[in-house]
Amino acid sequence: MERIPILKMGEYLLVTIQVDMHDRLAMTLQDDLTAKIVAARARGVLIDISALEIVDSFIGRMLADIAGMSRVLDAETVVVGMRPAVAITLVELGLSLTGVRTALNVERGMELLRRRIAGRNEDDAGSA
Amino acid sequence: MLTEIVAHDEAALLQRWIDNQFNASGFRPDRIGRAELQENSTQFLSSFRRALNSGATDIQGADWAGVRHILDGLSSARAEQGFSPTETATFIFSLKQPLFERARALYANDPARLAEATWEISQVLDKLGLYTAEVFQRGREAVIVRQQQEMLELSTPVVTLWDGILALPLIGTLDSARTQVVMESLLQRIVDSGAAIAIIDITGVPTVDTLTAQHLLKTVAAARLMGADCIISGIRPQIAQTIVHLGVELGSVVTKATLADAFSVALHRAGLAVVQKQAARRKPPADPDRESEGNEA
């Protein structure tokens, strides 16, 4: 069965969506990603959707869900590389993904993740 | 029969026709000169004769292509010059009178043929007249569509204020169609320039109602999805009052009264600051060298 690869890089997980998402694939990704976050004890998840051309409300909600699940598992999520047409579609669908962090490209996304995680480490150290 | 009428002393017919056009009530000597009219008429008459010689009666046919081409050029030119449809169609209809006179002279002794010729002339010229009006209308519509397009493009420039800071000065009413254009151009520029901050300046937006506010919020949300933060600036006092009275919730969007304020926030977020030049601040008026330096800067 088709799967979306999840790459581990240090304490980050990289998910690059290179194919058009269909509902089954999205559900599998949710399962795989949550399992992987726990197994790899990841602190940050970066989802690159620069190749995604078509989104519907289901995929939009799935992105929001993944971000929410990662947060519960104590991992920051950044969605990067959204295309203008996709952004407009999501907004028109009423899904502005308020809980999801976004960045323009992978580089900016990694920078954001590093900053967030560094900030959280400081907070943890401060409270301990 | 019509061929015969037209071919007989064409120069005199042309002269009569041009005079007729000149004396028509809708003639505009301020918009078109006699020389141009003469040229148009001559060209038309010669292709008209050729088309008649071919024997075809359908003016949409290949034999009439020359005539149609001339009428196309003439109608669209006159549409752009601001002629009215009547004035444009007069070009064709003023040919009727000279042709009728011809027919009357040629078939004075044969009422049946005269009636037939009159019918034939009427039919052909009516068709051509209608065709002219149609092309004229198309020309006008093309002008309108082009202007609409130009207005859309004109009113939505995205300017780069600084490396990584974009500004979108909105001018005019923000309806759905414009929001779409604005959003697309803004998002495309975000991708192209890699900007992290966009300032939407609404100084030029005359009124803000709930719909406009919703469109603004959509644009902000879409930019955020692309990883860029938006600041809304240029909110006039009346607009601030309207927004509150309408109960519009701008949520977490940063708003500033002027573009300058928004720009300084953007610079701050980008880790930049504008500082006054030291030399300019303590410029001793007695020192001429200093002064020239200051002027250069």
Side-chain angles (χ1 to χ4, degrees):
Chain A
M1 203 185 89
E2 205 179 5
R3 262 170 203 279
I4 290 172
I6 300 168
L7 313 173
K8 182 174 178 300
M9 233 183 82
E11 56 186 352
Y12 309 111
L13 292 182
L14 304 184
V15 182
T16 310
I17 299 175
Q18 299 279 9
V19 290
D20 276 334
M21 292 288 270
H22 48 80
D23 297 2
R24 171 74 70 77
L25 197 58
M27 298 307 292
T28 318
L29 177 63
Q30 265 179 18
D31 287 346
D32 288 356
L33 189 61
T34 41
K36 191 88 175 199
I37 291 173
V38 174
R41 300 174 65 189
R43 302 291 310 273
V45 177
L46 187 129
I47 304 174
D48 174 27
I49 58 166
S50 55
L52 198 67
E53 284 182 28
I54 299 162
V55 284
D56 53 17
S57 53
F58 184 82
I59 304 298
R61 223 193 62 210
M62 181 216 71
L63 287 173
D65 286 353
I66 287 184
M69 291 167 193
S70 312
R71 204 175 309 123
V72 173
L73 295 169
D74 194 31
E76 285 283 337
T77 307
V78 178
V79 172
V80 304
M82 191 180 293
R83 290 174 177 233
V86 171
I88 292 174
T89 312
L90 283 180
V91 171
E92 294 294 339
L93 288 171
L95 291 163
S96 42
L97 307 186
T98 30
V100 184
R101 293 190 180 281
T102 49
L104 187 65
N105 48 36
V106 177
E107 199 180 357
R108 293 267 182 85
M110 281 311 281
E111 195 185 307
L112 182 66
L113 267 185
R114 280 207 193 95
R115 231 180 19 237
R116 298 284 308 173
I117 290 171
R120 273 201 336 198
N121 286 343
E122 271 170 31
D123 287 353
D124 291 350
S127 60
Chain B
M1 195 171 357
L2 195 48
T3 324
E4 199 181 317
I5 297 168
V6 175
H8 177 74
D9 194 5
E10 198 176 313
L13 177 65
L14 180 65
Q15 203 46 53
R16 184 83 180 79
W17 180 29
I18 292 171
D19 287 342
N20 235 358
Q21 289 186 61
F22 243 81
N23 300 329
S25 58
F27 184 71
R28 308 290 296 261
D30 52 324
R31 296 214 170 117
I32 188 162
R34 179 147 194 143
E36 195 185 341
L37 192 66
Q38 180 120 26
E39 198 192 314
N40 285 342
S41 307
T42 316
Q43 276 179 355
F44 175 80
L45 209 58
S46 68
S47 2
F48 184 55
R49 186 168 41 78
R50 269 201 301 277
L52 285 174
N53 280 339
S54 74
T57 51
D58 177 19
I59 67 152
Q60 300 295 340
D63 291 315
W64 287 80
V67 175
R68 284 204 310 274
H69 180 73
I70 291 174
L71 288 181
D72 282 348
L74 185 115
S75 297
S76 10
R78 290 193 177 188
E80 278 182 27
Q81 282 166 341
F83 278 75
S84 80
T86 315
E87 285 155 16
T88 310
T90 305
F91 177 74
I92 292 295
F93 290 129
S94 57
L95 183 57
K96 264 190 182 181
Q97 201 189 355
L99 285 180
F100 284 159
E101 283 169 7
R102 283 286 171 98
R104 214 160 39 224
L106 277 172
Y107 308 119
N109 306 322
D110 191 345
R113 287 199 77 181
L114 179 60
E116 204 183 317
T118 311
W119 168 240
E120 219 173 285
I121 294 168
S122 271
Q123 213 178 11
V124 168
L125 288 187
D126 285 353
K127 274 190 211 160
L128 289 174
L130 286 175
Y131 180 76
T132 316
E134 218 171 84
V135 175
F136 177 86
Q137 189 121 6
R138 272 209 296 276
R140 271 286 176 84
E141 271 160 21
V143 171
I144 293 173
V145 167
R146 201 188 64 223
Q147 283 174 343
Q148 267 175 343
Q149 205 68 36
E150 274 169 8
M151 248 159 68
L152 271 182
E153 283 165 14
L154 267 182
S155 53
T156 52
V158 183
V159 292
T160 309
L161 287 185
W162 202 268
D163 192 23
I165 302 174
L166 295 178
L168 185 74
L170 288 178
I171 292 162
T173 317
L174 201 61
D175 57 14
S176 309
R178 269 199 66 196
T179 311
Q180 190 76 14
V181 176
V182 167
M183 239 196 244
E184 276 168 18
S185 49
L186 176 65
L187 298 192
Q188 196 50 52
R189 277 296 289 271
I190 290 175
V191 174
D192 294 345
S193 64
I197 301 167
I199 300 171
I200 302 175
D201 187 77
I202 58 166
T203 313
V205 180
T207 52
V208 173
D209 54 14
T210 44
L211 204 63
T212 315
Q214 204 202 347
H215 287 146
L216 277 175
L217 290 176
K218 266 189 191 171
T219 311
V220 173
R224 203 193 63 84
L225 284 177
M226 307 270 309
D229 279 331
C230 279
I231 302 170
I232 296 178
S233 76
I235 300 175
R236 282 174 282 123
Q238 299 96 310
I239 295 212
Q241 290 181 23
T242 323
I243 287 176
V244 173
H245 285 155
L246 287 174
V248 173
E249 196 56 67
L250 286 176
S252 58
V253 182
V254 179
T255 51
K256 290 281 165 192
T258 63
L259 182 61
D261 292 342
F263 185 49
S264 76
V265 171
L267 282 176
H268 180 73
R269 283 204 198 157
L272 299 163
V274 178
V275 289
Q276 197 162 23
K277 259 175 84 177
Q278 210 113 60
R281 209 179 336 170
R282 48 181 175 87
K283 187 175 64 182
D287 193 341
D289 283 342
R290 277 276 187 174
E291 226 168 64
S292 67
E293 212 174 273
N295 287 343
E296 270 168 39

